[in-house]
Amino acid sequence: MMRKIAMVKRQVDMKAVDQADDDLKYWLSKTPQERIAAVTFLVNQMLKPSQRMDKTVFSQRNMK
């Protein structure tokens, strides 16, 4: 049995495409725990070792 590999390509004009809807649908399909994990991962990438996030800028909001 021989397998064939086909290249999959989607070419779009980056200035014309509105990816906000796709992004929103993607994140709404994730659980709140997965969303928090993603945000934590991104924040940790920006911090230096042993540096902590300045939480004085943010306010706490209740999730519905």
Side-chain angles (χ1 to χ4, degrees):
M1 179 176 185
M2 295 290 292
R3 290 186 175 181
K4 287 189 175 185
I5 298 175
M7 185 172 89
V8 177
K9 181 179 175 182
R10 179 179 176 219
Q11 186 172 357
V12 295
D13 182 12
M14 294 300 286
K15 294 178 183 175
V17 69
D18 182 22
Q19 194 174 359
D21 290 334
D22 292 338
D23 291 343
L24 180 61
K25 288 177 188 174
Y26 173 79
W27 286 112
L28 289 177
S29 72
K30 300 297 179 185
T31 65
Q33 290 82 9
E34 289 174 315
R35 294 182 216 165
I36 292 170
V39 170
T40 304
F41 175 75
L42 292 173
V43 168
N44 285 334
Q45 283 186 321
M46 297 302 296
L47 297 177
K48 296 175 184 169
S50 74
Q51 182 184 9
R52 296 183 64 140
M53 186 173 83
D54 180 13
K55 297 179 184 175
T56 59
V57 180
F58 301 98
S59 63
Q60 185 175 4
R61 293 172 33 179
N62 292 329
M63 293 181 68
K64 294 181 180 181

